[in-house]
């Protein structure tokens, strides 16, 4: 405890104060002095003409910053890039937010992603600008396709990259890539596969030897990008296809959801092995990507049926297997997939139908989640107004109604209890083995 101190002035009675009170008074006096000095500097700066002291202070600051290699122009550029690209995306005017989803970003699709970029001073590579526009306009969709496009953009950036003579490539390259990754996240939220590749390439850059020349380090990093694509996307998909085809037998009726390049490749490979089976494509609005899946399968000679997700309960009696794709497998075994995946898994579990999830191990994530609210992506709500017959939607004027909100979620989470098995390039595993695969990946790195 602080001992009391007697403070008195002539002509007044002594006042007993503790050391904490005296310390607080001294701190208040110091803060008042600092505020007065700051106000005085601002007044002198606005008055112009500057005194010799005002001219010496900026010169002293520049001299202190120059030896460390961090001049004032560099700092200003970094600040400009941060303020330019890390500002939160504002929702469109008149677009009400649901309180429970207020923490999720809602991108304004009416504004071009490149509007905030300065093409004379921007540090975003043109390959990333192109990819950002494609992601924002849903030209590049699917976790594998988006990750492959990111790998191509990073390879183009590294091929064009030139390291300053006073810098090391393993420290400067990460700094140069940061505004590019920030720009992509402002165009659309990155999926788990893209986040895992970014972690991988940053680790490879950090591990590069300082003894290598710039050209040697560039070749090493380009090879690392190529190996990541080959091992985790191409060869992994090929291995999963071989394992999943063995699960398909003659007379099967397989249910798939929307469009997945991996699931389509499995079914086409099974057809190539002369297996006789039927496919039921379940689709949902607003993208209706299952139409493309149905067209591709019927073109290969596979009998298909196409239904909406609200008819899933009716057709589940005729199904023998359910094959689903995943955007990520979380550490607690939950499957992150397109919205509607959890509903199909629940219906299949009710009818005692096996649910087979196909997922590459590079999509495994250390995040733990049990709901679709904490982590998700909000798509354009106006896309839900589209109708097949081009008629006006009954909720077309939802922005004018104060009590109407449209929510277009991209993902949902499926509990591990609803999943029979997960087929990966390593083996056929239960969802509970996700932490083991994550530890294996950490040791491998």
């Amino acid at each position: 405890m602080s001992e009391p101190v007697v403070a008195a002035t002539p002509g007044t009675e002594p006042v007993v104060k503790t050391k904490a009170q005296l310390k607080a008074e001294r701190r208040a006096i110091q803060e008042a002095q600092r505020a007065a000095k700051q106000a005085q500097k601002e007044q002198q700066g606005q008055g112009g003409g500057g005194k010799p002291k005002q001219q010496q202070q900026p010169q002293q600051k520049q001299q202190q910053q120059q030896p460390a290699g961090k001049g004032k122009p560099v700092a200003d550029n970094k600040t400009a890039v941060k303020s330019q690209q890390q500002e939160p995306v504002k929702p469109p005017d008149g677009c009400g937010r649901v309180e429970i989803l207020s923490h999720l970003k809602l991108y304004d699709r009416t504004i071009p992603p490149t509007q905030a970029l300065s093409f004379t001073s921007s540090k975003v590579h043109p390959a990333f600008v192109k990819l950002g526009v494609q992601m924002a306009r849903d030209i590049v969709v699917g976790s594998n396709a988006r990750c492959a496009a990111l790998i191509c953009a990073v390879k183009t950036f590294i091929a064009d990259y030139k390291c300053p003579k006073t810098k090391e490539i393993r420290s400067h390259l990460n700094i140069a890539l940061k505004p590019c990754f920030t720009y992509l996240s402002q165009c659309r939220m990155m999926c788990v596969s893209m986040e895992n590749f970014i972690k991988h390439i940053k680790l490879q850059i950090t591990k590069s030897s300082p003894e290598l020349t710039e050209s040697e380090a560039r070749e090493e990093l380009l090879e690392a990008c190529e190996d990541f694509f080959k091992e985790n996307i191409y060869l992994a998909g090929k291995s999963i296809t071989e394992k999943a085809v063995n699960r398909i037998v003659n007379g099967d009726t397989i249910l798939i959801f929307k469009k997945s390049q991996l699931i389509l490749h499995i079914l086409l490979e099974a057809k190539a092995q002369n297996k006789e089976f039927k496919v039921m494509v379940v689709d949902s609005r607003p993208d209706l990507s299952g139409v493309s899946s149905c067209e591709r399968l019927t073109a290969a000679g596979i009998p298909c049926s196409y239904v909406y997700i609200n008819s899933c309960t009716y057709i589940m009696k005729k199904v023998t297997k359910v094959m689903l794709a995943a955007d990520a497998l979380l550490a607690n075994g939950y499957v992150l997939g397109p919205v509607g995946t959890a509903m199909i898994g629940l219906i299949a579990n009710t009818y005692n139908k096996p649910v087979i999830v196909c997922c590459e191990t590079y999509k495994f994530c250390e995040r733990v989640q049990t709901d679709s609210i904490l982590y998700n992506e909000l798509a354009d709500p106006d896309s839900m107004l589209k109708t097949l017959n081009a008629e006006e939607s009954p909720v077309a004027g939802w922005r004018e109604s104060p009590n109407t909100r449209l929510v277009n979620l991209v993902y949902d989470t499926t509990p591990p209890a609803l999943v029979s098995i997960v087929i990966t390039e390593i083996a056929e595993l239960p969802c509970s083995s996700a932490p083991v695969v994550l530890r294996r990946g950490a040791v491998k790195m």
Side-chain angles (χ1 to χ4, degrees), residues 326-385:
D327 288 274
L329 188 65
L330 307 181
N332 57 344
Y334 278 68
V335 177
L336 188 71
V339 62
T341 305
M343 180 186 295
I344 292 178
L346 181 61
I347 296 172
N349 183 72
T350 304
Y351 284 88
N352 295 321
K353 306 296 181 180
V355 178
I356 302 172
V357 174
C358 301
C359 181
E360 299 89 342
T361 54
Y362 87 102
K363 295 180 183 177
F364 283 45
C365 179
E366 295 180 354
R367 187 187 302 118
V368 175
Q369 185 177 342
T370 58
D371 56 68
S372 305
I373 298 174
L374 180 63
Y375 172 88
N376 213 317
E377 181 181 354
L378 288 176
D380 184 12
D382 288 331
S383 63
M384 302 180 69
L385 304 178

Side-chain angles (χ1 to χ4, degrees), residues 67 101 105 111 132 150 189 234 255 261 287 290 324 366 373:
L101 301 174
K105 289 183 179 180
I111 300 177
L150 176 61
M189 192 179 73
Y234 177 72
L255 184 144
Q261 293 294 342
D287 55 349
L324 302 173
E366 295 180 354
I373 298 174

Side-chain angles (χ1 to χ4, degrees), residues 84-85 89 107-119 122 124 128-139 182-188:
Q84 176 183 357
Q85 298 179 6
V89 180
Y107 299 93
D108 190 354
R109 306 295 182 181
T110 60
I111 300 177
T114 57
Q115 183 175 0
L117 290 180
S118 173
F119 289 96
S122 175
V124 181
F128 283 88
V129 175
K130 179 181 177 181
L131 177 57
V133 174
Q134 291 175 336
M135 289 170 52
R137 299 290 180 254
D138 292 332
I139 299 173
T182 304
Y183 166 74
L184 288 183
S185 64
Q186 294 299 321
C187 293
R188 184 182 173 183

Side-chain angles (χ1 to χ4, degrees), residues 158-174:
I158 294 175
D160 298 339
Y161 170 76
K162 291 183 180 180
C163 183
K165 296 181 179 180
T166 58
K167 302 287 184 178
E168 288 187 0
I169 189 171
R170 62 178 182 175
S171 60
H172 185 264
L173 183 55
N174 276 328

Side-chain angles (χ1 to χ4, degrees), residues 150 181 190 194-203:
L150 176 61
F181 294 146
M190 293 190 184
M194 298 174 71
E195 292 175 353
N196 288 342
F197 170 71
I198 291 174
K199 292 178 184 177
H200 174 78
I201 194 60
K202 285 184 176 180
L203 179 62

Side-chain angles (χ1 to χ4, degrees), residues 253-307:
T253 301
I254 301 171
L255 184 144
I256 65 173
F257 183 53
K258 287 192 173 183
K259 182 180 179 180
S260 169
Q261 293 294 342
L262 180 58
I263 299 297
L264 290 178
H265 192 265
I266 292 170
L267 298 176
L268 293 174
E269 181 64 25
K271 180 62 178 179
Q273 296 182 10
N274 297 322
K275 292 188 176 183
E276 298 295 332
F277 58 93
K278 298 179 181 179
V279 176
M280 289 193 174
V281 181
V282 179
D283 205 359
S284 67
R285 298 177 63 247
D287 55 349
L288 298 176
S289 58
V291 176
S292 177
S293 299
C294 196
E295 291 176 350
R296 188 172 176 184
L297 293 174
T298 51
I302 301 175
C304 291
S305 300
Y306 178 86
V307 297

